[in-house]
Amino acid sequence: MSLTQHFISCKDLDREDVESCLQLAQKMDELLTEDTVPEILTDFILATLFFEPSTRTRLSFESAMQRLGGKVISVAQKESSSATKGETVYDSIKVIEHYADIIVMRHSDKDAPQAAIAATDKPVINAGSGADEHPTQALADMYTMHKEKGRIEGLNMVFVGDMKYGRTVHSLVSLLSLFPNNSLTFIAPKALSLPNEYQELLDKRGVSYLASETMDAALHQADVIYMTRIQAERFEKTSEYEKYKGSYILDRATVEQKCKADVTILHPLPRVDELSTDLDELPNAAYFRQAGNAVPMRMAILVKLLGKEDLILT
Ligand code: NCD
C-alpha cells in the first residue's frame, strides 16, 4: 500500500511517496505564501475524530482542509463521543463514513487504524495510534528537514527522550531509513529505548544507528537534534514517569558549547521541560516552524488521498 487510499503507517511508504509528498507540500507552501490556494476541495467533508487529546494535529488538519475550500466536522475528545458509551472503532467509522469523505483519527489503541480501514473505503488517516505511529507528523518533520537542511539524506540525527512511547520518533525513523547515509543516534533511559520492531526495520534497511543513555557526547556531531517529551500518559504508574521526567534537558548554553553552529533543533511539541525556552530565539530552533510546516504537508496529504493532486501540480 502506498499513499493512494489510506495513510496508516510510514512502513507502507516508499521513497517516491515521500518525495512526491515533499514536492506537493512545497507547492502548497508557495500557494499559501502567494495567497493563491485554489479551493479544490469544496465538494469534500473531512471528519476529525480525536479519541486522545490533540491541539496541533487536529487544528492543522482542519486548517489544511479549510484552506483548500473543504468543510470539516469534528468530534473533539473521547468524552464527547460515543466511544464512552462502548462503541467500537469499527462501528463508529461505519456510521461516520456516511457523513464525511475523508477521516482523520487519533486513538490510544495501536490497532484502531486497522479496525477503521476494515469498516470503510473512504480514506482514513492515522493521526496517532497509541504509542506506535504518527505518520503525518513524520512527513511534516521530513519536510521541515528538507527546508531547514536542504536535504533528507546524509544527516546525522540525534533523537533524545522517549524512544519507547514516542510515536513521532517511530514514524520518522521509518521514513529516514528510506534515504541513504542517514545515521541515527537514540538517547534514552534503557527502559525507554527504541522498540525492537524499529531496530529490526533499521537493520533490515541497512541503516547505521546507535543507542546511548547520555546526551552530551552525541551532540557535537548532530546535524539535527530531535527532542521529545517523556510520554507521561503511557506509564501505568505516575511514580514510573517521575523516574524519567527531566532526564534530558537541552538549553542554550549546551547548544552553544557542544553543537555544530548550524545544528537544527526539532521537537514535535508540546514540550514539557526538555527544551529550555532560552533556545527559542536561536535561528537553530526550528520547532515552531516545524509546527507550521504541518499545514502545507497536511494539505498535500488530503489532496493526494482525495485524488486531486493533478489539479495542483499542473
Ligand atoms: C506528538 C504526539 O501526539 O505524539 N504531538 C504532536 O502530534 N505534535 C508528540 C507528543 O505528544 O509528545
Side-chain angles (χ1 to χ4, degrees):
M1 190 177 13
S2 67
L3 255 186
T4 45
Q5 192 184 6
H6 306 296
F7 185 26
I8 301 305
S9 165
C10 284
K11 295 191 203 93
D12 298 328
L13 300 196
D14 60 22
R15 210 175 141 149
E16 286 72 41
D17 291 320
V18 178
E19 281 165 348
S20 108
C21 286
L22 295 181
Q23 189 197 6
L24 200 52
Q26 195 161 5
K27 184 74 197 165
M28 294 300 182
D29 237 344
E30 283 162 28
L31 296 170
L32 285 167
T33 314
E34 294 157 10
D35 219 2
T36 53
V37 181
E39 300 214 326
I40 55 172
L41 299 186
T42 42
D43 293 340
F44 297 95
I45 297 175
L46 164 73
T48 54
L49 307 179
F50 282 81
F51 300 113
E52 276 194 338
S54 170
T55 306
R56 270 154 294 273
T57 306
R58 183 165 69 84
L59 292 185
S60 60
F61 260 117
E62 295 185 356
S63 168
M65 188 66 179
Q66 297 201 18
R67 289 207 187 279
L68 288 157
K71 296 165 195 72
V72 177
I73 54 175
S74 183
V75 176
Q77 302 276 296
K78 189 177 178 176
E79 293 70 41
S80 54
S81 79
S82 50
T84 45
K85 301 181 191 165
E87 187 171 57
T88 61
V89 167
Y90 181 90
D91 283 3
S92 295
I93 300 294
K94 271 271 169 241
V95 171
I96 289 157
E97 70 164 348
H98 296 287
Y99 308 155
D101 306 294
I102 184 162
I103 298 167
V104 171
M105 184 181 78
R106 170 174 290 184
H107 201 286
S108 58
D109 179 356
K110 87 187 229 315
D111 298 320
Q114 293 305 330
I117 64 174
T120 187
D121 289 332
K122 299 267 171 77
V124 174
I125 301 173
N126 176 9
S129 44
D132 191 28
E133 280 221 50
H134 193 348
T136 64
Q137 176 70 43
L139 277 177
D141 295 345
M142 291 297 272
Y143 182 49
T144 302
M145 288 187 270
H146 170 76
K147 280 173 81 173
E148 299 282 330
K149 308 305 283 183
R151 66 187 200 279
I152 49 173
E153 54 183 58
L155 288 172
N156 192 306
M157 295 279 309
V158 176
F159 291 88
V160 182
D162 190 341
M163 303 298 112
K164 180 177 180 186
Y165 298 120
R167 56 190 173 195
T168 68
V169 172
H170 304 160
S171 293
L172 184 53
V173 158
S174 169
L175 294 189
L176 283 166
S177 70
L178 296 169
F179 294 87
N181 305 320
N182 287 320
S183 66
L184 317 181
T185 302
F186 301 104
I187 313 292
K190 253 210 163 48
L192 300 181
S193 54
L194 190 73
N196 281 340
E197 182 190 350
Y198 292 97
Q199 296 193 32
E200 281 160 20
L201 182 79
L202 292 174
D203 289 336
K204 202 173 97 194
R205 292 182 177 172
V207 180
S208 74
Y209 66 94
L210 46 97
S212 166
E213 286 189 70
T214 50
M215 176 171 80
D216 285 18
L219 296 181
H220 69 278
Q221 44 172 2
D223 296 311
V224 178
I225 302 173
Y226 192 97
M227 295 297 293
T228 64
R229 172 178 74 87
I230 306 289
Q231 306 276 304
E233 67 276 31
R234 307 289 174 212
F235 292 84
E236 274 175 27
K237 297 194 205 112
T238 318
S239 58
E240 273 293 290
Y241 166 65
E242 297 289 337
K243 266 206 281 196
Y244 303 114
K245 191 176 151 234
S247 296
Y248 307 103
I249 295 175
L250 191 68
D251 60 17
R252 185 172 181 145
T254 309
V255 170
E256 285 176 345
Q257 285 159 26
K258 306 224 155 96
C259 296
K260 290 190 194 174
D262 68 346
V263 69
T264 295
I265 303 163
L266 300 182
H267 190 305
L269 302 176
R271 65 176 152 193
V272 183
D273 56 1
E274 62 282 352
L275 207 53
S276 169
T277 52
D278 67 5
L279 287 165
D280 295 359
E281 298 309 316
L282 289 182
N284 315 69
Y287 31 89
F288 292 121
R289 295 193 289 278
Q290 179 185 5
N293 290 334
V295 174
M297 181 48 85
R298 289 184 169 128
M299 289 167 79
I301 294 166
L302 291 169
V303 160
K304 247 180 181 303
L305 292 178
L306 289 168
K308 298 292 173 192
E309 192 174 354
D310 291 350
L311 294 181
I312 292 290
L313 291 176
T314 50

